[in-house]
Amino acid sequence: MNNTNVHYGYISICLHWLSALCVFGLFSLGYYMVELTYYHPYYKAAPELHKSIGLVFFAVMVFRVFWRTQQISLEHLFSHSKLEQKLGKIVHRVLYVLIFAIMFSGYLISTADDRGIEVFKLVTIPAIGAIIENQEDIAGLVHQWLAYLLISLSVLHALAALKHHIIDKDNTLNRIIGKRQKLQEYHAKTNKKTVH
Ligand code: HEM
Ligand code: HEM
């Protein structure tokens, strides 16, 4: 369940992949739904689904951040260079910040007309109303561009993970997909890497 010095625990792993699924899913749905015309059958349903999933994802992210504070961080992998460790740390933090900023701007678009947001028709998140002029348009632009930035950074992040797996042949990708490596094997590999 918990992270160790070498492995991510199953909760961290599930939270990571659930977040990745939500980000790619919400991006695709958002991109698709803004092109729909008034007479399209999903004109209303698609944004409702986008907002509902977005708000459930918010709760998941709050739990993810809480869970992270309770767990050992695995960002200092010995086989990574100092630069890679620093870059990884920065990119991970920027990913977290971008996700929350996108959620907040999405909330500001949706509630600018004083109407709350229904989450799967079960609960309604209240609106605080417009706090600035043209809130819907400004928050819409911020939401759109931050979403593009998030997707670009996520793709770069995934490419970096593949680089570790294919070129460096280290344990970075294996431990986020839950593939366990024997401790002795791991130390033998990382020691070899640090000698180079
Ligand atoms: C939208 C998609 C994604 C987001 C937002 C995301 C976000 C993150 C974040 C925030 C972390 C840091 C975990 C922590 O310490 O709290 C992380 C770790 C990681 N992610 Fe992703 N990720 C995404 C997709 C992917 C994909 C597609 C891959 C693989 C192809 C991947 C591979 C990894 C790996 C290997 C780590 C561990 C890095 C390390 O331990 O240094 N991620 N991800
Ligand atoms: C990580 C989470 C999210 C991602 C990646 C995302 C992504 C997107 C994208 C790509 C668009 C289309 C932008 C465009 O091309 O104009 C969009 C539109 C929209 N999103 Fe999100 N979104 C997220 C979360 C949310 C949340 C939580 C809400 C509301 C509570 C929300 C509300 C909206 C609304 C109302 C639009 C339509 C904006 C318009 O008509 O211009 N989104 N989203």
Side-chain angles (χ1 to χ4, degrees), residues 56-67:
V56 172
F57 182 34
F58 172 72
V60 170
M61 283 304 294
V62 170
F63 178 69
R64 183 171 179 188
V65 170
F66 162 75
W67 186 251

Side-chain angles (χ1 to χ4, degrees), residues 8 16-17 19-20 23-24 64 68 74-75 80 92 95-96 99 150 154 157-158 161-162 172-173 175-176:
Y8 280 107
H16 175 269
W17 292 110
S19 312
V23 167
F24 285 118
R64 183 171 179 188
R68 196 182 192 284
L74 277 153
E75 282 171 328
H80 291 181
H92 296 159
L95 286 172
Y96 280 118
I99 290 174
L150 173 65
S154 301
H157 162 80
L162 291 179
T172 313
L173 184 61
R175 57 190 197 167
I176 202 80

